[in-house]
Each structure stands twice: as structure tokens, then as C-alpha cells.
Amino acid sequence: GACTASTPTPPSVIIASPPSIAGSKASGGASFGPQSFAINNTQVVLVNDGVGTTTDACTGNFVNAAALAGKIALLDRGTCGFAVKVKFAQESGAIGVIVADNTGGNAVAGMSGTDATITIPSLRISQNNGTAIKAALSQGAVTASLISSGVGTDSSVRWLMGEDSTGFGGA
């Protein structure tokens, strides 16, 4: 057997403020973009692409691109592929993306797609968490962090040793 067992921490969206929705939100990673990242305490801005469902980020040249520059873009799943949405957010100046699911309540899943030109991280959260963030945004600023499983400390590493090991002074 292996000498160590390591369970990576799942990626997460951590809401810093407002307090009403603060905390770590379970999230799914993307098959595209960086796999190791940490964007800390950055303002979240809801995407407005100006067409149809304005928050689905399926049309480039976002109406609110200036507001997204240097921020985390919040956008909705649906209509087009995940990589398409994230690329448009990147082109609008976002440094990270939160994709709110459009179905499933509390369910969380990853995001498929490929685009080697995507350089910003993205995470997918549940429909319910997305709805809560949007409600908070209507009341004022929301600040969040995007943390991947490859960053931070992993306290799950365990050394396995026999109980009669002389390294521990015997049984």
C-alpha cells in the first residue's frame, strides 16, 4: 500500500462579504484555464452582455466590460458552452469567473470545454448559491475569493507506521 494518503481539497468560491452570504461555497472546476489559482477578496460583478438573457455571457463585448476589469465575473449557465462564456469574460477584463448553474438547486458539477487561450480561472457553483449572490449584489457589493485545490495547505497527509516502530519509542 501507499505510505501516504492525500485527499485534495475541492475548489471553492469563498464569499467574504456581505455577512449574510459569507462562507465557502462548494464548486466544480473547469477542464480549461489554469488548474491552480488563488484570487483573493475581489469584487464580484454580474455580467451584462446586452443580448437576450443578458447574464449568460454568450455575446462578446459586454455592456459592462469597464465594470468587470480586474474583477470576478458572475454569469449564468446556459445557451452556449462554458469555455465560450469564460473567454468573453476574459476579453472583457475579468480576472476570474463564477458560473452560476441554472438548474439543480444545490447540485454542483464541473465544466467541460477546451480553449487553450483562456488564462483566467473559473468555478461553477449551485443554482441556489448563484441566486443568493445575485440577490446580495442587488443590495450592494459582494467580495469573493476563488481558490483551487492545488493551492493552500492539505492536512490530510498521514504517515503510516507500525505501532511497534522504534521511531515512536516502541508500542
Side-chain angles (χ1 to χ4, degrees):
C3 290
T4 63
S6 176
T7 306
T9 307
S12 59
V13 172
I14 303 166
I15 305 295
S17 65
S20 59
I21 62 166
S24 182
K25 312 302 177 192
S27 55
S31 61
F32 50 85
Q35 300 300 301
S36 181
F37 52 86
I39 296 176
N40 293 305
N41 297 327
T42 301
Q43 187 177 346
V44 176
V45 176
L46 185 63
V47 164
N48 179 354
D49 69 9
V51 179
T53 303
T54 59
T55 57
D56 69 5
C58 288
T59 305
N61 301 313
F62 294 165
V63 173
N64 64 338
L68 282 166
K71 307 293 193 314
I72 296 171
L74 174 65
L75 51 87
D76 287 318
R77 176 186 174 206
T79 313
C80 63
F82 293 116
V84 172
K85 301 169 178 295
V86 174
K87 181 62 181 281
F88 282 145
Q90 175 177 301
E91 290 173 346
S92 291
I95 61 169
V97 173
I98 300 170
V99 177
D101 212 325
N102 58 357
T103 59
N106 286 315
V108 174
M111 295 182 285
S112 59
T114 55
D115 185 336
T117 66
I118 293 175
T119 58
I120 63 171
S122 56
L123 292 174
R124 178 174 168 188
I125 60 172
S126 72
Q127 179 183 25
N128 292 352
N129 281 329
T131 299
I133 294 171
K134 284 181 255 180
L137 280 171
S138 72
Q139 304 295 314
V142 172
T143 305
S145 298
L146 303 183
I147 308 294
S148 73
S149 57
V151 176
T153 58
D154 178 2
S155 61
S156 68
V157 176
R158 302 283 186 263
W159 288 100
L160 302 179
M161 192 164 272
E163 66 180 36
D164 61 351
S165 168
T166 55
F168 293 120

